Amino acid sequence: MLDSASKEQLKSIFAGLQADYTLYINVSPQHESRGELLELLNDVAASSEKITCEVKDGEGLEFLLLKNSENTGITFRGIPNGHEFTSLLLAILNADGKGKNIPDEAIVRRAKALKGNIRLSTYVSLTCTNCPDVVQSLNLMAILNNNISHEMVDGAINQAETDKLKIQAVPSVFADGELLHGGKSSFGELLEKLEAKYGSDTAELFEAVKHFDVVVVGGGPAGSSAAIYSARKGLNVAIVAERIGGQVKETVGIENLISVPYTTGDKLAEDLKTHLQRYAVNLLEHRKVEKLEIDGKEKVLSLSGGEKLMAPAVIIATGANWRKLNIPGEAEYIGRGVAFCPHCDGPFYQGKPVAVIGGGNSGIEAAIDLSGICSKVTVFEFLDELKADRVLQEKAKNRPNVEIFVSSQTTEVIGNGEKVTGIRVKNRKTDEERTVALDGIFVQIGLSANSSAFKEIVTVNRFGEIEIDTRCRTNQPGIYAAGDVTTVPYKQIIISMGEGAKAALSAFEDQMYQ
C-alpha cells in the first residue's frame, strides 16, 4: 500500500524507537476492508524492528496500540489513511516520548491530574482536515494519563453507529457515551472541557506568577511576528496561544503571501513555529487568557488552568473566529445539519441539497467545492451583490448545480428535532419569505473578533474589534493589539504580520522612554 519512498521515510521516522510496539489487530475474516488494513499495518511494522503486528479474528475492524505488551489506551476503529495516517505515526512516537506535539510540563501536569476513568471516542472522516488535530490530542492524553482511553472511529466504516448517534459533522468527540465536543479543536480546549466534566485531582498545579518583559496573546501571523520582533530586541517574551498558527491552520491554500507563490495553512503554521523556536521565545501553547487586569504599570494575565503571568507590556493578537448567524434553530442544529467547514463536513451531504450562507470569498469557494459533492448548492447573500473576487464568482456561476440569490436574509434554521430539513429566507427588497428544503447549511459569513477576555479593559467597537492607533496602541498604556482582532482594515495574513511587528516595536519604544 505504501510506496517505496514512504517506506524509506518511515524507517527514518522510527529509527530512534526505544520500546517495543504491537499493532494488535481484531478484524472479521469477512470484513471488506480487512486486506487493506492488514496491508497498511504490515507496511508500517516492516519499517522498524520495534514494531510488530498481531492479528486476531474479531467481529468488526479495529486495532490497539500496545507498548511493551501493555495497552497504551489508544484504539483505531478504522483504517488510518489520508489525514489520519499521521495520527497513527504520532501515536507510536508519542508513546515513545517523542514528537513535536508533546506539550510543556505545565500542560502535561494538567492532563495527568484529570480525575476518573475516562473513555473517549472521536468520530472522523478521512477527508477531514480538522479531525487529526483532535485525534492526536486525545491519543496523547491517553498516553499521558493511564486512566484515559481513546478510540478513533471512522464514520464511513462504522456507518450504522454514526447513524444511531445522529452524527452529521466531524470530528465528534464522545466522553463515556455523551457528546463532549464537535468540530475543530486544540489540545488546550479539549483539556479544559475534560477538566470541567471530570475535575482535577490537584488544585495547586502551578508555581508563582511568572514575570516577562512582554506577553503576546495569540499565535497567528500577528502574534508570531510580535513575539519574534520582541525577542530580536532582547526582551524576555512569552507567547500564549491555543495553537501556533491560529486561524491560518483552517486555510487550505494560500497564494497571496508575497514572495511565497503557494503554501498551505498547516505549512505556514509549522513555519511560524519553526521561526519562533529560533529565538528565546517562551512558547506557552494550549492555553488561553481568561482575564486581563492592570496592577499599576504591570499587567496580570490569568490563564486557563490556573497559571498567571505578569508583564509591563501586553500585545493582544487573538485573531477572529467564524461568525454565527444567531438565528432560531442554528445553535440547536450545529453538527446536525449546520456546519462551518465544507472540507470536513461536505462528504456527509453527498448527493444532497445544501445552502451556503455568505457571498464573500469563503462562501463562494465553499459553494464551488460543494458543487462537486452535493446535488444542489444554493448561495444566499445578505447584500445586494456578491463580495467574492470576480474570478470566483464566474467559476460558481458556471457550475450547473449552483444557484445564487442576493438580497437574502436568512431568518430561521428548520429541523425535525434530529436534523436540518430546511431554511427560512426573506427577500430584503420585497419582504417575501420562503422555506427552502435542504439537508445541510454551511455558514460562511466572515469573522468575529476574539476580544471577549479584554473588552472590559480596552475599548472595542460595535463589532468587538479592539480600537488601536497607527502604532497599535490601545487606550490603555502598555497594552497593544495587532491583526484581525483590531480595527485595522483588510484581514489579511501579510497585513497581520506587519501589524504584529509594528506592535512589538511600539512596545519596545515605549518601554525605552519610561
Side-chain angles (χ1 to χ4, degrees), residues 430-441:
T430 65
D431 286 335
E432 178 187 355
E433 288 200 56
R434 63 187 175 115
T435 299
V436 179
L438 43 73
D439 291 287
I441 300 166

Side-chain angles (χ1 to χ4, degrees), residues 152-462:
M152 181 218 80
V153 186
D154 182 353
I157 287 181
N158 300 277
Q159 189 65 54
E161 191 172 330
T162 58
D163 289 344
K164 183 178 179 181
L165 292 170
K166 301 181 177 63
I167 294 172
Q168 286 190 293
V170 290
S172 290
V173 180
F174 286 76
D176 291 307
E178 295 182 355
L179 183 64
L180 176 78
H181 176 84
K184 64 180 178 128
S185 192
S186 63
F187 188 102
E189 182 182 7
L190 293 165
L191 179 57
E192 285 182 41
K193 290 193 172 186
L194 289 171
E195 288 171 333
K197 182 175 177 65
Y198 293 98
S200 177
D201 276 331
T202 308
E204 298 297 329
L205 287 173
F206 306 110
E207 55 199 67
V209 177
K210 296 178 182 177
H211 293 261
F212 299 95
D213 296 325
V214 180
V215 173
V216 179
V217 187
S224 298
S225 176
I228 289 168
Y229 265 75
S230 295
R232 285 175 61 85
K233 289 296 185 181
L235 300 176
N236 181 15
V237 57
I239 184 168
V240 180
E242 292 186 54
R243 57 181 182 174
I244 299 301
Q247 188 81 2
V248 156
K249 287 182 68 67
E250 296 172 39
T251 305
V252 177
I254 299 169
E255 299 176 316
N256 58 354
L257 184 57
I258 308 306
S259 84
V260 182
Y262 180 82
T263 188
T264 66
D266 281 336
K267 179 63 166 59
L268 180 55
E270 184 181 317
D271 290 343
L272 289 174
K273 190 167 187 176
T274 298
H275 201 169
L276 284 164
Q277 290 171 332
R278 292 195 176 186
Y279 293 92
V281 175
N282 296 274
L283 290 180
L284 304 179
E285 282 191 275
H286 313 301
R287 300 158 168 88
K288 64 181 180 182
V289 173
E290 295 186 337
K291 185 168 60 173
L292 170 62
E293 299 172 289
I294 299 175
D295 183 5
K297 291 187 177 181
E298 295 292 313
K299 318 300 181 294
V300 182
L301 299 104
S302 299
L303 310 188
S304 53
E307 292 173 274
K308 287 198 173 185
L309 311 179
M310 184 176 287
V314 169
I315 299 172
I316 303 168
T318 43
N321 280 329
W322 294 116
R323 192 185 302 276
K324 293 182 174 63
L325 294 166
N326 295 318
I327 59 174
E330 180 188 33
E332 180 183 355
Y333 289 104
I334 288 177
R336 297 189 296 160
V338 174
F340 298 87
C341 179
H343 305 292
C344 303
D345 300 333
F348 285 98
Y349 302 92
Q350 179 88 33
K352 298 178 180 179
V354 300
V356 172
I357 312 302
N361 282 349
S362 61
I364 299 304
E365 285 175 353
I368 294 168
D369 289 342
L370 293 167
S371 68
I373 300 171
C374 304
S375 61
K376 183 176 181 180
V377 181
T378 306
V379 178
F380 295 107
E381 164 57 40
F382 182 84
L383 298 178
D384 295 336
E385 59 182 20
L386 298 180
K387 299 170 290 181
D389 294 342
R390 181 62 58 184
V391 63
L392 293 174
Q393 293 187 39
E394 293 302 320
K395 281 186 180 180
K397 289 173 181 177
N398 287 331
R399 300 295 172 101
N401 61 338
V402 174
E403 190 172 14
I404 299 172
F405 294 93
V406 296
S407 307
S408 298
Q409 180 180 355
T410 307
T411 58
E412 184 180 3
V413 173
I414 299 169
N416 61 10
E418 294 185 356
K419 62 180 183 178
V420 165
T421 58
I423 192 169
R424 190 80 173 159
V425 180
K426 183 175 74 172
N427 185 311
R428 293 177 50 248
K429 291 185 175 179
T430 65
D431 286 335
E432 178 187 355
E433 288 200 56
R434 63 187 175 115
T435 299
V436 179
L438 43 73
D439 291 287
I441 300 166
F442 289 83
V443 181
Q444 302 282 293
I445 57 171
L447 301 171
S448 176
N450 294 324
S451 60
S452 59
F454 315 103
K455 62 184 181 182
E456 300 301 322
I457 297 293
V458 297
T459 301
V460 300
N461 65 13
R462 63 189 182 93

Side-chain angles (χ1 to χ4, degrees), residues 3-13 47:
D3 58 33
S4 57
S6 297
K7 291 176 182 178
E8 288 302 312
Q9 188 177 16
L10 283 186
K11 289 180 182 179
S12 175
I13 290 172
S47 67

